[in-house]
Amino acid sequence: MNESAQLPDPPQFSDWEMQKCRESGDFMPVLFEWYKFVGHICIFFAQLQRESPAAKEIPPIHFAILTGLLNRCARLMLSNVALSHNGRFGETTALLDRCIFESSLKIDWLCHKGNDESFQRYLAGGLKTEIELEKEIAGNIAERDGGEVLNIEKRMLSSIERHIDAAGLSREEISEAKKLPDVSAMLRDLGHERLMYVVAQRLGSHHVHGTWPSLLLHYLEVNDDGEFLLRDHDCGTHPNQFVMTPLQVLGAVRAFIVYLIEGEEAKAVVDLLDSIQEEILKINSEMVGGDFRSAE
């Protein structure tokens, strides 16, 4: 770890505080702290050093991808903490949670595959667009008298070149690389059922694309006369978001540790992550109450 990195302490709640949540049915204050804690756990393990004696040797670019994705998950989670602490911006936290889900899934899938081709497909997936933009810019330059290059074009071309160089791939390798599998295929590879795809990806897409269910959930409301009105800026984060997202991120951290670390060191971290998961599931079990009893 970096010298400044310290394992954060888990949140602590008194019996009185937990009883208050049970009586009110509002476990959001507790889940909020566990959500924040998982974000800190994620960034803590993202700082694990590749040179650590406990880490197996993997290519630097693979390590950069995995730790970069973990950093993305952690920072988006902490952004959600900042947005949701006053009980607002639920429409935005839902959108960010969809981004966190996809990044967590990619970590899990890349660690599950663990081969050069999969990491190369990840890199090429983003760089194909860069190459397409590069060709468009080059075409515009070629159409001008004397091949004049605009300042903005020069900056864009330099940026594209830096991204490609950092990946260590040629333009031919990028163009010829197979596309990453879609989310559904990744979930199947990892042994998840179709329901996971429908709930995490398809329903999450409502918030990204602004579908009719999204409008009804966050942006419109119906008055007593059946008229549609614009909803005020008063959407809170749904309690399920404070359960599902940290569980997904814990799964990604677990996959990263198991992929990178060998022996007892990995087991100790996995046991820690499992204990955090158990605490979140325990709170969720109290929160959902009779949701999973027969509707009859």
Side-chain angles (χ1 to χ4, degrees), residues 133-154:
L133 176 59
E134 184 181 51
K135 289 178 180 178
E136 290 293 323
I137 295 171
N140 290 338
I141 293 171
E143 291 176 0
R144 298 192 194 107
D145 292 338
E148 178 187 13
V149 180
L150 305 179
N151 284 328
I152 187 173
E153 292 172 331
K154 183 178 179 180

Side-chain angles (χ1 to χ4, degrees), residues 9-201:
D9 294 324
Q12 300 289 331
F13 300 95
S14 67
D15 292 341
W16 178 83
E17 288 172 317
M18 292 304 301
Q19 185 59 32
K20 186 178 178 182
C21 291
R22 294 184 186 103
E23 290 173 357
S24 66
D26 180 14
F27 288 85
M28 288 291 277
V30 175
L31 289 172
F32 177 86
E33 293 301 324
W34 279 102
Y35 185 101
K36 184 167 59 174
F37 174 67
V38 171
H40 288 141
I41 283 289
C42 184
I43 194 59
F44 175 81
F45 286 109
Q47 295 178 78
L48 197 151
Q49 300 297 291
R50 194 171 65 89
E51 298 79 12
S52 168
K56 69 180 182 183
E57 189 172 342
I58 66 172
I61 191 68
H62 295 187
F63 188 82
I65 290 169
L66 295 174
T67 54
L69 285 169
L70 284 172
N71 192 26
R72 172 178 161 86
C73 290
R75 286 176 56 181
L76 291 179
M77 287 186 76
L78 297 179
S79 296
N80 271 348
V81 167
L83 286 168
S84 63
H85 78 283
N86 284 325
R88 296 175 64 187
F89 296 103
E91 71 285 353
T92 309
T93 60
L95 195 154
L96 291 179
D97 276 345
R98 158 70 185 275
C99 299
I100 296 169
F101 162 70
E102 289 200 24
S103 292
S104 298
L105 177 61
K106 284 173 182 173
I107 294 168
D108 207 349
W109 185 82
L110 287 168
C111 292
H112 172 71
K113 289 295 186 182
N115 54 45
D116 290 339
E117 181 197 10
S118 298
F119 283 93
Q120 185 166 313
R121 289 170 71 180
Y122 170 83
L123 290 166
L127 293 173
K128 287 179 188 291
T129 305
E130 302 277 294
I131 289 178
E132 182 179 359
L133 176 59
E134 184 181 51
K135 289 178 180 178
E136 290 293 323
I137 295 171
N140 290 338
I141 293 171
E143 291 176 0
R144 298 192 194 107
D145 292 338
E148 178 187 13
V149 180
L150 305 179
N151 284 328
I152 187 173
E153 292 172 331
K154 183 178 179 180
R155 290 196 302 271
M156 293 171 74
L157 290 172
S158 295
S159 176
I160 293 168
E161 190 69 33
R162 286 196 305 272
H163 292 166
I164 293 173
D165 286 346
L169 299 176
S170 68
R171 284 164 174 75
E172 290 73 26
E173 288 175 318
I174 294 168
S175 298
E176 293 172 4
K178 293 195 297 184
K179 290 178 61 177
L180 271 177
D182 61 21
V183 169
S184 178
M186 285 187 184
L187 288 168
R188 284 199 304 273
D189 276 351
L190 295 168
H192 292 290
E193 296 181 358
R194 175 73 179 179
L195 179 62
M196 180 67 168
Y197 172 69
V198 174
V199 172
Q201 178 72 4

